[in-house]
């Protein structure tokens, strides 16, 4: 990282990584067995690696701040970067399965931290399979926002179980989301948009946000504008389909 | 390496289960034919010791201890009750029902009164674990995709024709094979363990057919696959204390409400000392069984001839190794353990099906350890001891039924030792593929074939 001058993958004027050196396939099989380290439990996530300025040592006390936003399949990190300055006090993490893309986001954050001292300290990225290891990163009711922007559509019915929004996985997302926490989903594939909406609609722990709530939420506007994928859709004049749902406590859970 | 290229062939194998002939050429010769897959022998004991059941391969054998006779299973479906390896057997907590399931994708529910099959449920995939809800109204089973299914039972009706019920999904582990399913003693939770070190505690809902969506906790701490689960019942906590064993050679104790790890007992080190083998990873915990009425936990460890007894201190919530009960003179490494609420006996079985290079097709050997009834750390007058065959309840008749023969030849034992080991490994350890094999599979992937 310090040999920037000799490193052609870093743009000399901005200090940011150049995307063409981090090309990767658009898709990755989430059913693959992982060959990367996974923290044993949420208490084993080393915050000092992700947020060195905020966590100088790897010991965390119980009261210290925890990650609140998770961008699942963060891609090149466009949304995270926008959120970082919009919510400077909130810790957030992107999760991405493709390692080259993760490397790019890592370099991008490091570059931004150098270019803007004091900023972007609250944002980080990790290479992991969120469909398998969400409970290893977040405790029960830890998150207040989860993002699923332009996920892999997996058109074939045989591959529907690879979709990142599914009835069974929503159980796990409901576990890591606090009551009142929000799931944001958006896609340019109509069929997937309907699928995500119906999964959320049929799940007893989620309810849709009202039109006024959607209008008032500054994050909703970022869904289609902040990400590389969203910008591409906008350039091509494509349509997007979003579903934004709130984690609720169902009546059957009242006594617990 | 690129993430995109890291393929899990095990899962692909699952996906292509219906056209195995296509990738069979890729498999090792011994894995080529799935009918050569050996299965370890299983044992289960009726909660009030009315009967004891052993499964070896597709063979389900039951002995009625109350009436001291072998049980003849009645299955209106006709023929053999199962036609492929049984992977899970279990009695319900109230003792009225028994469930068996396995590689033939059939889940069979039996009345323990008449030993009639009262329901047969077809699974889409092979079944890896089974459980019956404490009220006896629901049967749950886990399939090879990591999905747990539930079926409702209208209660035991002896007169009714066998039911053909349809199962609905209850919960899922994302693409990891579930190794064990247990209900908490109070029946409020269903606990599932998988080959990816995960234990999930889910609230068992009032209407299970709508799915179980509320995760109570994840018990995370195992560094390898989790092979077995058991509950310690205590008056203080109605939900019980969970214990688990796994490939990391530990037994761990958990509070299921919070998911927190209470204690870890590294049984591997102790077992290695006791056993004479020096191979790596021979101290995998293969089964655990809590012995009701005392706070002892029996642990079966791969390659340990006998069992290890752990003692649980309920006030400090700690586990400690009490002793190893060795089996002298026989190469007896238990593959499964069972106990009943009363009786103070620990039942063990070792064995495997589909033995190759042997004139017998399967082996099962049953042994019993007694002496738990009044056992406490300071009571030395009664020590856990292995019963000789004639002292086992049911005696020769029981052994003849459950083992298939009264005595088992030592030569057969030796021949079976490897098969038993292979069976346990196949069950729990993910297949490893060499780089060449990965490359070959990648080249012959279905979605690439059209381009050639």
């Amino acid at each position: 990282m310090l040999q920037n001058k000799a490193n052609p993958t870093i743009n000399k004027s901005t200090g940011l990584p150049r995307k063409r050196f981090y090309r990767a396939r658009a898709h990755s099989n989430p059913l693959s067995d992982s060959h990367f380290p996974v923290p044993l439990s949420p208490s084993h996530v080393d915050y000092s690696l992700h947020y060195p300025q905020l966590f100088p040592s790897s010991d965390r006390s119980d009261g210290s701040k925890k990650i609140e936003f998770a961008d699942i399949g963060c891609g090149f990190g466009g949304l995270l970067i926008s959120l970082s300055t919009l919510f400077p006090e909130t810790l957030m993490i992107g999760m991405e399965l493709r390692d080259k893309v993760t490397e790019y986001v890592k370099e991008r954050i490091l570059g931004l931290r150098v270019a803007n001292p004091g900023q972007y300290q609250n944002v980080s990225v990790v290479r992991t399979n969120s469909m398998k290891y969400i409970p290893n990163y977040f405790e029960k009711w830890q998150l207040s926002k989860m993002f699923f922007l332009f996920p892999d559509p997996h058109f074939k019915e045989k591959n529907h179980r690879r979709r990142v929004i599914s009835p069974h996985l929503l159980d796990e997302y409901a576990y890591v989301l606090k009551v009142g926490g929000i799931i944001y989903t958006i896609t340019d594939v109509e069929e997937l948009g309907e699928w995500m909406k119906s999964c959320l609609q049929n799940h007893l722990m989620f309810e849709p946000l009202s039109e006024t709530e959607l209008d008032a939420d500054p994050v909703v506007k970022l869904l289609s504008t902040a990400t590389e994928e969203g910008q591409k859709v906008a350039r091509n004049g494509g349509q997007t389909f979003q579903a934004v749902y709130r984690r609720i406590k169902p009546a059957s859970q009242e006594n617990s | 390496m690129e993430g995109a290229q890291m393929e899990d062939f095990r899962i692909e194998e699952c996906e292509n289960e219906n056209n195995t002939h296509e990738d069979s050429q890729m498999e090792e010769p011994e894995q080529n034919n799935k009918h050569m897959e050996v299965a370890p022998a299983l044992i289960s004991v009726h909660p009030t010791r009315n009967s004891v059941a052993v499964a070896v391969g597709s063979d389900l054998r039951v002995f009625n201890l109350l009436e001291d006779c072998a049980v003849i299973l009645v299955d209106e479906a006709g023929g053999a009750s199962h036609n492929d390896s049984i992977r899970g057997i279990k009695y319900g907590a109230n003792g009225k029902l028994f469930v068996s399931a396995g590689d033939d994708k059939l889940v069979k529910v039996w009345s323990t009164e008449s030993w009639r099959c009262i329901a047969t449920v077809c699974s889409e995939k092979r079944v890896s674990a089974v459980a019956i809800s404490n009220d006896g109204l629901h049967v749950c089973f886990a399939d090879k995709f990591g999905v747990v299914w539930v079926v409702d039972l209208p209660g035991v009706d002896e007169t009714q024709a066998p039911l053909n019920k349809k199962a609905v999904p209850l919960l899922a582990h994302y693409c990891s094979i579930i190794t064990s399913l247990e209900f908490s003693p109070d029946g409020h939770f269903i606990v599932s363990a998988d080959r990816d070190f995960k234990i999930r505690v889910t609230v068992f809902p009032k209407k299970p057919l709508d799915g179980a969506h509320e995760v109570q906790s994840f018990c995370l701490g195992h560094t390898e696959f989790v092979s077995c689960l058991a509950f310690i019942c205590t008056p203080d906590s109605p939900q019980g204390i969970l214990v688990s064993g796994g490939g990391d050679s530990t037994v761990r104790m958990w509070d299921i409400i919070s998911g927190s790890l209470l204690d870890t007992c590294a049984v591997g080190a102790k077992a290695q000392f006791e056993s004479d083998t020096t191979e790596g990873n021979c101290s995998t915990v293969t089964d655990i069984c809590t012995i009701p009425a005392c706070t002892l936990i029996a642990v079966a460890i791969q390659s340990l001839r006998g069992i290890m007894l752990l003692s649980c201190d309920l006030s400090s919530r700690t586990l400690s190794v009490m002793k190893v009960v060795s089996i002298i003179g026989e190469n007896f490494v238990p593959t499964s353990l069972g106990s009943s609420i009363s009786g103070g006996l620990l039942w063990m079985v070792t064995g495997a099906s589909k033995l190759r290079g042997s004139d017998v097709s399967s082996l099962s050997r049953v042994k019993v350890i007694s002496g738990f009834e009044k056992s406490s750390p300071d009571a030395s007058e009664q020590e856990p001891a292995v019963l000789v065959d004639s002292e086992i309840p049911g005696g020769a008749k029981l052994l003849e039924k459950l083992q298939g023969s009264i005595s088992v030849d030592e030569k057969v034992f030796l021949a079976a030792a490897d098969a038993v080991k292979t069976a346990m490994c196949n069950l729990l350890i993910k297949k490893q593929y060499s780089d060449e094999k990965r490359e070959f599979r990648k080249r012959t992937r279905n979605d690439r074939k059209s381009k050639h």
Side-chain angles (χ1 to χ4, degrees), chain B residues 231-232 243 289-299 308-312 319-320 322-323 339 371-373 375-377 384:
Chain B
F231 272 100
I232 303 170
V243 281
C289 179
T290 50
I291 296 152
C294 57
T295 50
L296 290 181
I297 302 153
V299 184
M308 187 177 284
L309 283 176
L310 306 185
S311 140
C312 166
L319 285 172
S320 53
M322 197 177 91
K323 66 179 294 185
S339 72
F372 297 106
E373 201 81 286
S375 176
S376 71

Side-chain angles (χ1 to χ4, degrees), chain B residues 165-290:
Chain B
K165 295 286 262 180
K166 193 123 179 74
V168 296
L170 180 74
L171 60 96
H173 286 222
Y174 195 76
C175 269
S176 186
I177 292 174
I178 291 172
T179 52
S180 185
L181 268 184
E182 286 290 333
F183 279 91
S184 63
D186 63 3
H188 288 346
F189 302 100
I190 182 168
V191 186
S192 41
D194 72 24
R195 289 213 303 195
D196 275 321
F197 56 74
K198 205 182 278 175
I199 300 171
R200 169 172 159 165
V201 181
T202 313
V203 175
F204 194 69
K206 290 193 183 72
K207 292 186 208 158
L209 298 185
D210 295 341
H213 304 292
E214 189 186 348
V215 181
Q216 176 64 38
S217 64
F218 285 97
C219 301
L220 299 172
H222 276 292
T223 54
E224 281 276 346
F225 59 84
V226 187
S227 52
C228 45
L229 299 171
F231 272 100
I232 303 170
C233 303
T234 82
D236 308 336
S237 52
Q239 76 279 355
I241 297 173
L242 181 70
V243 281
S244 63
D248 57 3
S249 307
T250 63
V251 172
R252 292 172 198 260
M253 187 159 73
W254 310 89
D255 173 1
I256 59 165
I257 299 299
S258 64
S260 51
L261 178 63
L262 300 173
D263 198 17
T264 300
C265 188
V267 296
K270 179 84 177 159
Q272 224 127 52
F273 180 70
E274 298 284 338
S275 71
D276 46 12
T277 44
T278 49
E279 297 163 59
N281 202 24
C282 57
S283 47
T284 289
V285 177
T286 50
D287 201 7
I288 49 177
C289 179
T290 50

Side-chain angles (χ1 to χ4, degrees), chain B residues 406-428:
Chain B
I406 294 171
S407 62
V408 177
D409 191 20
E410 184 62 20
K411 275 187 204 139
V412 178
F413 247 121
L414 285 173
D418 274 340
V420 169
K421 203 161 189 173
T422 316
M424 297 311 291
C425 284
N426 285 351
L427 200 62
L428 298 166

Side-chain angles (χ1 to χ4, degrees), chain A residues 31 90 115 120 193 196 205 221 227-228:
Chain A
L31 307 184
T90 307
Y120 302 102
M196 295 198 292
M205 285 193 233
K221 289 163 197 75
T227 65
E228 287 75 0

Side-chain angles (χ1 to χ4, degrees), chain B residues 355-371:
Chain B
L355 302 180
R356 278 192 304 167
S358 160
D359 41 352
V360 279
S361 62
S362 69
L363 162 91
S364 61
R365 176 86 174 99
V366 174
K367 281 200 168 281
V368 177
I369 295 176
S370 78

Side-chain angles (χ1 to χ4, degrees), chain B residues 312-339:
Chain B
C312 166
D313 185 329
L314 290 176
S315 54
S316 67
R317 298 190 151 196
T318 52
L319 285 172
S320 53
V321 176
M322 197 177 91
K323 66 179 294 185
V324 170
V325 182
S326 302
I327 288 160
I328 316 288
E330 273 183 67
N331 189 10
F332 189 99
V333 178
T335 50
S336 174
L337 307 174
S339 72

